[in-house]
Amino acid sequence: MTDRLSTAFSAPRPALVCFVTAGDGDTAANLDALVAGGADVIELGMPFTDPMADGPAIQAANIRSLGAGTTTADVFAIAAAFRARHPVVPLVLMGYANPMVRRGPDWFADQCAAAGVDGVICVDIPPEEDDALGPQLRAKGVAPIRLATPTTDAARLPRVLEGSEGFLYYVSVAGITGQQQAAQGSIEEAVARLKSATDLPVAVGFGVRTPEQAEAIAKVADGVVVGSALVELVGEHCGDAPQHLRALTAALAEAVHTAR
Amino acid sequence: MDSKPNSFRTQPDERGHFGDYGGRYVAETLMPLVLELERAYRAAQADPAFKAQFDDLLEHYVGRPSPLYFAERLTEALGGAQVWFKRDELNHTGAHKINNCIGQILLAIRMGKTRIIAETGAGQHGVATATVCARFGLPCVIYMGAEDIRRQQPNVFRMKLLGAEIVPVTSGRGTLKDAMNEGLRDWVANVHDTFYIIGTAAGPHPYPEMVRDFQSVIGKEARQQMQDRVGRLPDLLVACIGGGSNALGLFHPFLDDPEVKMLGVEAAGHGLDGDEHAASLLGGFPGVLHGNKTYLLQDEDGQITEGHSISAGLDYPGIGPEHAWLKESGRVEYTAVIDDEALEAFQLLCRTEGIIPALEPAHAIAAVQKRAKEMDRDAIILANLCGRGDKDIFTVAEKLGVEI
Ligand SMILES: Cc1ncc(COP(=O)(O)O)c(C=O)c1O
């Protein structure tokens, strides 16, 4: 199943990874707009009441989604329907541990596999607690995608890489989503460091908002992740969100795909 | 747990797990920090100078040891077991919270951190943190839910007088858990210079262990004082539970004394049958929040639900992981007390002993009220009077329909 991820990242050009929150607006239409705009990988946020690593934009999206009554079953229904419409576009779930382990890690891994989910990014399960979900995901062929951050030093990096699959997500700033962007120089240095330690593709996110930023990062990284800027469009435009998502995604995709 | 451990005092393991609970469920950005904190704490534990400084401040700044007090008139009124109180409400700043803050700020200084953050619910931990920050000249940012700011005006003003910056938190329902989320968000963004003083025995390892250790001064003193005064240990310890720090502080030094029974008292709010309570152990399920695996108030999808209690210090939807383990191992019994019972116990203590308790320990007193009657007159109950009620008089007046 992770084939879809490796295919997306093995293209000769860098990949654009786009995030929206499940259950925030018409998610199916939003996801289709991202694909139509040129997104290579979809990151679908699982809403949580306590999104500790997220800034105001994604917090608000979580609240809108839960306010609209989104359940875990809805998230998997959205994922499965996406998979039926888009057989080759990789889909990754991103969220927090508690909704993922609530019915047990085996249940969650089964649901992911059944819905055609390629990978899972769980913000608050570090390698030290991998037992809580990692083995179950790997057993079902779902990639546990880990985060590396500016605080992940050389001594710690092997620990993070062990058991990581799919791609490595480099969080470019020590902070929450949607805030300031890291200096380009520090991103280049970090990506070089990560790439010398792993064969996994390295995607860079947190604070990327514009095609210009995305292009600069795509010159060095295998992928660029954009979240808050897209989620803000969903919040702002409600029913009209898909056309705005598509336009921004297209501009980002153009910048990322032609960066090198 | 199928067999009894040899000791109940050796938790957590090296990964910070108390049986199935605890651990370090934090974002990668924080992970190196949490590991560094653990190393620093181990070094401090091994350093006699750290302990000397801690003890000195507890004695001369906090006012320890706190008295052990036989509540004669309350005992008479209840007509059962003798009721004794550990008087931590007499501490500087009016609650047990300062014991932990002294320990953590000394550690922060050892680590070279120059900025302190904390979350607060009732404001007691916020006041204690602001106090130690003033004492050591460090800038202090306190995250507090907007609803709690409304409920706890006197403490908000106290923190401001002490020089703290109060940041109102409006996400969620604007209570303690939301303040903790905001504290964690601040910490990830300021890892280089900031120390997060967590106010209860919860959060990622090593916080639950560290907070318990700093609060254990309560139980260590009480153990000695009991021996000195009556020549034996108490039959039952009782303490209220928000996150569980005052309870662990009292219980932990007694955990390997099998003759001493223990009762933790959660807040049942409007009752355990509905959603309006804060009893994570009795009314919740295991899950992961704020860096640890523990019992949580949550729905079937793992969304966290908001606790309710008349007491702002108890309405946290989680509980320290060591309590989750002590519950499952059967060493500690847990019960819950509703708002009205706590309110009644609050008034009872005022009138029988001339002590205005905080609404948090009023829950412990309500449980004592029930248990004392069922026990022999020569039995001894020791309850933790972990905070004074000055901060709560407005809430109580409102409940009693009095305008002040
Ligand atoms: C006086 C008092 N007691 C108890 C608590 C609950 O915390 P814990 O369970 O950690 O002792 C608080 C929290 O604010 C408090 O102020």
Side-chain angles (χ1 to χ4, degrees):
Chain A
M1 231 173 288
T2 54
D3 283 353
R4 276 187 290 261
L5 275 173
S6 43
T7 307
F9 281 105
S10 65
R13 55 181 210 197
L16 174 65
V17 183
C18 290
F19 173 97
V20 289
T21 300
D24 181 22
D26 181 347
T27 311
N30 291 343
L31 294 179
D32 289 349
L34 298 178
V35 174
D40 301 292
V41 178
I42 299 294
E43 230 184 80
L44 184 63
M46 286 185 72
F48 183 43
T49 40
D50 294 79
M52 284 143 323
D54 285 300
I58 296 180
Q59 282 178 47
N62 279 273
I63 291 168
R64 289 193 298 268
S65 172
L66 293 173
T70 307
T71 64
T72 300
D74 294 333
V75 175
F76 282 117
I78 289 167
F82 176 87
R83 178 54 64 233
R85 294 195 308 280
H86 303 282
V88 300
V89 182
L91 178 72
V92 167
L93 289 183
M94 178 160 188
Y96 294 82
N98 202 49
M100 295 186 185
V101 300
R102 178 68 174 97
R103 294 177 178 87
D106 287 307
W107 182 88
F108 185 75
D110 280 341
Q111 293 290 308
C112 286
V117 169
D118 301 288
V120 170
I121 304 170
C122 183
V123 175
D124 51 349
I125 299 187
E128 280 75 1
E129 304 293 347
D130 186 65
D131 288 358
L133 187 60
Q136 295 79 5
L137 290 177
R138 282 186 284 270
K140 293 287 169 192
V142 179
I145 295 161
R146 293 255 177 78
L147 307 165
T149 68
T151 59
T152 313
D153 59 20
R156 180 170 169 73
L157 186 55
R159 183 101 215 233
V160 171
L161 292 172
E162 193 192 325
S164 275
E165 294 179 10
F167 62 94
L168 185 64
Y169 187 144
Y170 179 63
V171 172
S172 65
V173 285
I176 52 180
T177 55
Q179 307 296 94
Q180 83 288 13
Q181 198 209 355
Q184 179 65 17
S186 77
I187 294 177
E188 285 171 15
E189 208 177 297
V191 171
R193 184 164 65 86
L194 297 174
K195 289 196 70 70
S196 71
T198 180
D199 292 333
L200 288 174
V202 176
V204 177
F206 274 49
V208 187
R209 308 187 61 87
T210 65
E212 293 70 31
Q213 292 170 325
E215 181 180 351
I217 293 170
K219 286 193 194 304
V220 294
D222 303 304
V224 181
V225 188
V226 181
S228 296
L230 295 165
V231 163
E232 281 167 16
L233 292 178
V234 178
E236 227 171 279
H237 298 285
C238 309
D240 289 337
Q243 72 190 72
H244 295 276
L245 289 175
R246 182 176 171 154
L248 178 57
T249 305
L252 290 163
E254 160 80 15
V256 167
H257 293 157
T258 60
R260 289 190 228 144
Chain B
M1 175 141 313
D2 29 55
S3 69
K4 275 208 162 160
N6 292 328
S7 170
F8 289 95
R9 303 186 63 228
T10 55
Q11 302 280 329
D13 66 16
E14 66 287 350
R15 295 168 61 207
H17 288 218
F18 300 84
D20 248 5
Y21 302 98
R24 291 174 286 217
Y25 292 86
V26 293
E28 175 61 22
T29 313
L30 288 181
M31 201 57 215
L33 270 288
V34 161
L35 294 170
E36 183 198 342
L37 176 61
E38 187 187 354
R39 281 190 296 273
Y41 180 52
R42 296 286 171 242
Q45 280 179 304
D47 181 357
F50 182 81
K51 183 175 178 339
Q53 209 181 357
F54 180 66
D55 290 348
D56 182 74
L57 282 160
L58 286 188
E59 180 179 350
H60 301 294
Y61 188 64
V62 175
R64 302 204 73 93
S66 68
L68 178 74
Y69 171 71
F70 174 46
E72 199 177 337
R73 291 216 334 121
L74 178 64
T75 298
E76 253 170 55
L78 299 181
Q82 295 178 26
V83 180
W84 294 67
F85 286 119
K86 183 62 175 157
R87 301 281 309 270
D88 258 55
E89 102 281 12
L90 293 176
N91 292 342
H92 180 39
T93 73
H96 67 293
K97 297 284 177 187
I98 188 110
N99 303 328
N100 168 49
C101 291
I102 295 277
Q104 288 200 47
I105 199 151
L106 290 178
L107 192 58
I109 293 165
R110 267 180 83 100
M111 293 175 74
K113 302 294 182 188
T114 54
R115 174 176 176 267
I116 301 293
I117 58 171
E119 85 295 336
T120 195
Q124 286 306 103
H125 175 58
V127 167
T129 303
T131 297
V132 297
C133 287
R135 167 66 182 72
F136 288 97
L138 291 180
C140 173
V141 176
I142 304 287
Y143 291 94
M144 187 168 186
E147 169 61 16
D148 285 338
I149 288 182
R150 193 192 63 76
R151 290 198 284 184
Q152 303 286 338
Q153 273 302 320
N155 273 344
V156 173
F157 186 58
R158 275 184 199 108
M159 288 185 270
K160 286 185 182 158
L161 285 174
L162 292 161
E165 179 193 341
I166 320 288
V167 181
V169 177
T170 51
S171 60
R173 216 185 271 177
T175 61
L176 183 53
K177 96 173 160 71
D178 310 299
M180 192 141 178
N181 290 335
E182 231 26 65
L184 288 165
R185 289 182 187 119
D186 181 315
W187 201 23
V188 280
N190 296 288
V191 282
H192 53 288
D193 67 350
T194 296
F195 190 101
Y196 184 4
I197 299 188
I198 292 182
T200 191
H205 179 63
Y207 281 101
E209 174 188 347
M210 186 167 76
V211 174
R212 173 200 76 197
D213 291 349
F214 293 142
Q215 291 294 1
S216 288
V217 65
I218 300 171
K220 284 182 201 151
E221 285 176 6
R223 210 165 182 286
Q224 189 60 50
Q225 288 167 321
M226 270 286 162
Q227 293 284 16
D228 293 348
R229 299 272 297 278
V230 298
R232 70 176 182 93
L233 298 181
D235 299 289
L236 178 68
L237 304 177
V238 183
C240 68
I241 296 188
S245 68
N246 87 85
L248 277 173
L250 177 64
F251 296 171
H252 196 261
F254 293 92
L255 282 175
D256 285 337
D257 300 301
E259 71 273 29
V260 180
K261 296 196 165 45
M262 302 177 194
L263 181 65
V265 186
E266 297 194 294
H270 297 320
L272 290 185
D273 356 324
D275 295 333
E276 300 279 286
H277 64 77
S280 326
L281 281 179
L282 295 178
F285 301 91
V288 175
L289 181 70
H290 293 154
N292 59 154
K293 181 172 178 190
T294 188
Y295 278 73
L296 302 171
L297 300 179
Q298 54 179 318
D299 70 13
E300 56 191 7
D301 275 341
Q303 305 298 346
I304 307 303
T305 53
E306 303 270 351
H308 162 82
S309 169
I310 187 175
S311 143
L314 300 183
D315 68 0
Y316 180 62
I319 179 163
E322 191 160 10
H323 284 291
W325 177 75
L326 288 168
K327 177 190 179 204
E328 295 202 349
S329 67
R331 179 63 185 94
V332 177
E333 182 191 345
Y334 294 87
T335 186
V337 154
I338 63 168
D339 286 352
D340 288 349
E341 293 168 324
L343 199 57
E344 194 199 313
F346 175 98
Q347 297 171 81
L348 178 68
L349 194 72
C350 291
R351 287 192 304 255
T352 55
E353 295 293 343
I355 298 173
I356 302 177
L359 280 169
E360 292 83 11
H363 286 70
I365 297 161
V368 165
Q369 227 179 319
K370 294 186 208 173
R371 288 299 162 102
K373 292 175 187 158
E374 300 162 1
M375 293 167 70
D376 290 342
R377 281 173 185 265
D378 55 359
I380 294 177
I381 298 178
L382 169 57
N384 200 4
L385 197 43
C386 59
R388 67 175 89 122
D390 311 36
K391 70 181 174 62
D392 291 319
I393 54 171
F394 299 100
T395 306
V396 172
E398 196 183 311
K399 287 282 166 194
L400 298 178
V402 178
E403 221 168 289
I404 50 177

